[in-house]
Amino acid sequence: MKVNLRAGGRWALVLMVFCSGLAARDLNQDEALALRQQGVILPLEQLLQQAMARHPGSRLLEAELEKKHGQYAYEVELVTTDGVVREIKLDATSGVLIKDEED
């Protein structure tokens, strides 16, 4: 049986490109500002307050706006007073909690 490695390599490349398009994309601050000004997403401050209220006394480590499958979400990482890192994901357009889990 003869294996065509060149064709297999092409298929692997096509699959990689396709799958990378499905991954979440982090938006930069200019994109986030434009979306906020257009009324597409809620203010980060509002969603940060919501995330921090879930774990009183926690400290913010990181906040990112991402777009995946046409949906915008804020991913917030906090460290609780117990030293546990939490990952909280909120829908950036509605503020609905998507997940809150230990990271």
Side-chain angles (χ1 to χ4, degrees), residues 53-86:
R54 296 186 62 79
H55 303 280
S58 59
R59 290 180 298 131
L60 177 66
L61 295 176
E62 182 179 25
E64 296 177 333
L65 177 62
E66 62 181 27
K67 182 179 182 182
K68 185 174 183 179
H69 305 298
Q71 303 284 326
Y72 296 102
Y74 278 109
E75 197 170 276
V76 178
E77 283 189 10
L78 307 173
V79 62
T80 66
T81 55
D82 299 332
V84 176
V85 176
R86 306 286 307 177

Side-chain angles (χ1 to χ4, degrees), residues 1-98:
M1 181 174 155
K2 192 173 184 180
V3 178
N4 186 342
L5 294 178
R6 188 172 281 175
R10 285 189 200 123
W11 278 111
L13 181 61
V14 168
L15 185 60
M16 251 181 13
V17 169
F18 175 74
C19 290
S20 69
L22 297 177
R25 180 176 82 84
D26 291 340
L27 283 77
N28 66 38
Q29 62 187 13
D30 293 331
E31 292 172 303
L33 177 61
L35 290 168
R36 173 62 194 115
Q37 290 173 338
Q38 295 166 13
V40 174
I41 61 171
L42 296 170
L44 174 60
E45 297 81 15
Q46 177 182 336
L47 296 179
L48 277 178
Q49 287 177 354
Q50 184 178 336
M52 301 288 279
R54 296 186 62 79
H55 303 280
S58 59
R59 290 180 298 131
L60 177 66
L61 295 176
E62 182 179 25
E64 296 177 333
L65 177 62
E66 62 181 27
K67 182 179 182 182
K68 185 174 183 179
H69 305 298
Q71 303 284 326
Y72 296 102
Y74 278 109
E75 197 170 276
V76 178
E77 283 189 10
L78 307 173
V79 62
T80 66
T81 55
D82 299 332
V84 176
V85 176
R86 306 286 307 177
E87 184 178 298
I88 300 171
K89 194 170 197 175
L90 299 160
D91 184 299
T93 59
S94 67
V96 170
L97 177 68
I98 299 170

